[in-house]
Amino acid sequence: MRVFIAGSMKIRYLDPLVKRHIDRLLANDYEIVVGDADGADTLVQSYLFNHGAKKTTIYCSGLKPRNNVGNWPVQRVDTKHAEGSRAFFTAKDIRMAEMADMGLMIWDAESTGTLGNIIELLMRKKQSTVFVNKARLFKDVANVKQLEEILSFMSEAAKEKGNKKIKLFSRIESLKHEQLMFVMPMGH
């Protein structure tokens, strides 16, 4: 099993509950894929390194990772988007969502990048376990209803920002339509 771990750049420490969850992943010998950003990505990298994780791959957009604490193998994701842009960095996240079997997202209830990762996994019919940092609890997101439930942790301003940055509302509608088409046989 391959787990995509990501989180908000604003997160400055890993909650003990998240550490325990990562410990279980390591105990089960899961392969970990993680990005190269500051914040949660680097905190996860440090935790993995300090706990001797071997099956770890760092994903980055462009030539070299911004952070690679454990000097692990790197998967470079080529993108034609402008270096440093949201689309440039999102390319690696999309690749990790494609490569992973599931996700562990450490979310501050604001980060559109982390929310985008949850949606990317959901679009591929893959589940995320989301740690809502400010509430200190885990929520599973395996369908649109569960996605909408975690949005309740967001302020209205954060939802609007998410809509501007990642087209949050239209992506949710698209997922709802897709799930409806999956449930209803063609021709009905």
Side-chain angles (χ1 to χ4, degrees):
M1 288 290 272
R2 185 177 293 142
V3 184
F4 171 14
I5 304 179
S8 308
M9 290 178 73
K10 289 181 182 174
I11 290 178
R12 297 289 167 241
Y13 70 94
L14 288 182
D15 189 284
L17 296 170
V18 172
K19 291 177 180 178
R20 273 204 303 265
H21 193 89
I22 294 171
D23 290 343
R24 284 193 297 275
L25 296 175
L26 295 174
N28 286 312
D29 206 29
Y30 287 0
E31 184 180 337
I32 308 294
V33 296
V34 65
D36 65 335
D38 293 329
D41 287 1
T42 302
L43 291 169
V44 167
Q45 285 187 27
S46 293
Y47 190 79
L48 292 169
F49 178 73
N50 291 333
H51 289 80
K54 300 282 185 254
K55 293 171 134 183
T56 303
T57 304
I58 305 302
Y59 279 68
C60 71
S61 297
L63 296 177
K64 67 184 186 89
R66 295 168 285 179
N67 297 291
N68 186 352
V69 174
N71 200 27
W72 290 291
V74 173
Q75 267 304 325
R76 288 183 39 246
V77 178
D78 292 321
T79 173
K80 301 203 183 329
H81 296 289
E83 190 168 336
S85 68
R86 170 174 287 280
F88 176 81
F89 292 117
T90 299
K92 70 166 169 42
D93 294 328
I94 292 170
R95 180 69 52 82
M96 286 187 283
E98 291 168 353
M99 300 304 295
D101 297 301
M102 62 186 175
L104 169 61
M105 299 292 137
I106 308 156
W107 189 48
D108 64 1
E110 290 179 23
S111 166
T112 53
T114 306
L115 193 53
N117 292 338
I118 296 165
I119 293 169
E120 289 295 339
L121 285 160
L122 204 49
M123 287 170 49
R124 290 161 178 79
K125 309 209 181 342
K126 298 174 184 179
Q127 177 175 316
S128 294
T129 298
V130 180
F131 182 76
V132 183
N133 212 45
K134 70 180 187 180
R136 293 195 72 232
L137 56 83
F138 288 99
K139 295 295 244 177
D140 288 330
V141 179
N143 57 49
V144 180
K145 183 179 183 294
Q146 291 173 325
L147 173 64
E148 289 179 317
E149 287 171 11
I150 70 161
L151 296 182
S152 69
F153 291 98
M154 295 179 86
S155 68
E156 288 307 311
K159 288 178 192 174
E160 286 303 322
K161 183 178 161 191
N163 199 41
K164 244 183 229 155
K165 286 187 164 186
I166 65 167
K167 297 175 177 59
L168 176 61
F169 303 141
S170 62
R171 291 178 83 183
I172 289 171
E173 287 308 311
S174 177
L175 282 166
K176 281 181 180 176
H177 179 74
E178 196 175 294
Q179 284 187 351
L180 190 62
M181 296 307 292
F182 182 73
V183 172
M184 287 178 40
M186 295 303 287
H188 287 71

